[in-house]
Amino acid sequence: MPHVYHLSLSDREIAGAQMALLPGDPARVEKIATTEPIKHGRFVTSHREFCTWLGFIRETPIVITSTGIGGSSTAIAVEELAQLGVKIFMRVGTTGAIQPHINIGDVVITTGAVRLDGASTHYAPIEYPAVANYEVVWALVQAARKLKIPYHVGITCSSATFYPGQERSDSFSQYIIKQLQGTKSEWERLGVLNYEMEAATLLTMCSALGLRAGCVCGVVDTPTQELITQESLQRAEQNAIQVAAKAMEIFLEKQL
Ligand code: URA
């Protein structure tokens, strides 16, 4: 009976689940576990930033575990869930838009990620691409279409930091080191859709380890609306959760 240290979890407690939904925020775990078509959601355990619930889509168990913020803690969550037998991972996050045509509440479905996360270099050299699994991306797109939630599909930038790495103007010192100055406009020019902090780690390690992963994030801020309000957070979170839960159902139905 494997029992993993950081998640404080055993394989018995997740009922042989092979699919995981991964929010960053521990408070989002219960919301996901109680969103249709996920049923019978129940709390399993919580240790540090890692909160775990179990839910079911028909008979199939789905484990929902928070990763905390950033690549290091995400890598721990994915490692330990993989040790317990999980093979398919969907991140359900929040994000800041880089492209001006993306609106608050829209969702971004990641096909690949710019690897500014740091942690992914411990799984594969930087030349190795951070790409999502095709079937996971497909299921997420179908889900967004069915739910009529506005979505964008493309490249995400995963930054190791929230403030300087994303060139935010609301940082403490307002200073951005030279190496990072101008990066936001460069990503915009190169068609990168959004900033978040975990996708590159998840996608790189999963493809390197022979696991399948994807990422959907709800947009909480935009280039013209940097301040994140409770209302935008709620809308973005709700949309990303609905798309991810529906995508899991589609994934199972189509036997992807
Ligand atoms: N998460 C990020 O990393 N950046 C944002 O702007 C919003 C959420």
Side-chain angles (χ1 to χ4, degrees):
M1 272 302 162
H3 184 274
V4 291
Y5 171 66
H6 296 89
L7 304 189
S8 187
L9 196 61
S10 70
D11 53 358
R12 191 180 44 79
E13 287 172 302
I14 63 166
Q18 296 197 357
M19 302 172 88
L21 288 166
L22 305 176
D25 183 357
R28 204 176 302 142
V29 176
E30 178 174 0
K31 294 177 194 165
I32 297 172
T34 52
T35 294
E36 287 281 339
I38 299 172
K39 291 195 167 54
H40 313 300
R42 62 176 163 82
F43 172 77
V44 180
T45 187
S46 179
H47 184 226
R48 297 181 179 231
E49 62 267 66
F50 308 110
C51 172
T52 298
W53 280 56
L54 188 67
F56 292 82
I57 295 181
R58 293 189 198 98
E59 308 294 297
T60 306
I62 312 281
V63 61
I64 305 119
T65 297
S66 53
T67 61
I69 294 177
S72 316
S73 60
T74 298
I76 289 173
V78 173
E79 273 275 355
E80 294 189 357
L81 288 171
Q83 289 170 23
L84 298 177
V86 177
K87 296 186 168 29
I88 293 151
F89 298 84
M90 277 187 205
R91 165 165 154 71
V92 193
T94 55
T95 186
I98 294 174
Q99 298 296 330
H101 66 277
I102 299 179
N103 298 310
I104 285 177
D106 293 2
V107 299
V108 176
I109 297 166
T110 300
T111 52
V114 179
R115 293 176 56 192
L116 293 182
D117 59 311
S120 67
T121 58
H122 289 207
Y123 286 89
I126 198 69
E127 294 82 3
Y128 186 96
V131 285
N133 173 261
Y134 173 75
E135 287 87 9
V136 176
V137 171
W138 184 85
L140 287 166
V141 171
Q142 298 310 309
R145 281 195 185 152
K146 282 205 165 118
L147 294 165
K148 297 190 174 16
I149 289 173
Y151 68 95
H152 310 267
V153 182
I155 300 170
T156 291
C157 179
S158 299
S159 168
T161 56
F162 184 80
Y163 291 99
Q166 304 183 24
E167 278 198 282
R168 289 184 67 94
S169 61
D170 55 357
S171 68
F172 173 62
S173 74
Q174 313 255 303
Y175 181 68
I176 312 263
I177 61 167
K178 284 200 183 65
Q179 202 187 329
L180 291 171
Q181 284 176 22
T183 50
K184 188 169 186 177
S185 59
E186 181 150 278
W187 298 131
E188 182 192 340
R189 180 69 184 77
L190 296 175
V192 177
L193 301 178
N194 61 316
Y195 276 127
E196 54 77 80
M197 298 176 68
E198 295 81 14
T201 306
L202 173 70
L203 302 183
T204 303
M205 70 185 287
C206 283
S207 40
L209 298 173
L211 304 164
R212 298 201 278 169
C215 172
V216 60
C217 288
V219 175
V220 293
D221 61 277
T222 67
T224 52
Q225 170 68 49
E226 201 181 44
L227 182 76
I228 302 170
T229 65
Q230 273 310 309
E231 196 212 331
S232 60
L233 176 61
Q234 244 180 7
R235 193 142 59 92
E237 211 178 33
Q238 180 69 11
N239 284 347
I241 290 173
Q242 282 191 9
V243 170
K246 184 81 184 161
M248 275 289 183
E249 184 183 46
I250 293 170
F251 202 91
L252 285 166
E253 253 172 31
K254 302 282 180 198
Q255 301 186 326
L256 297 171

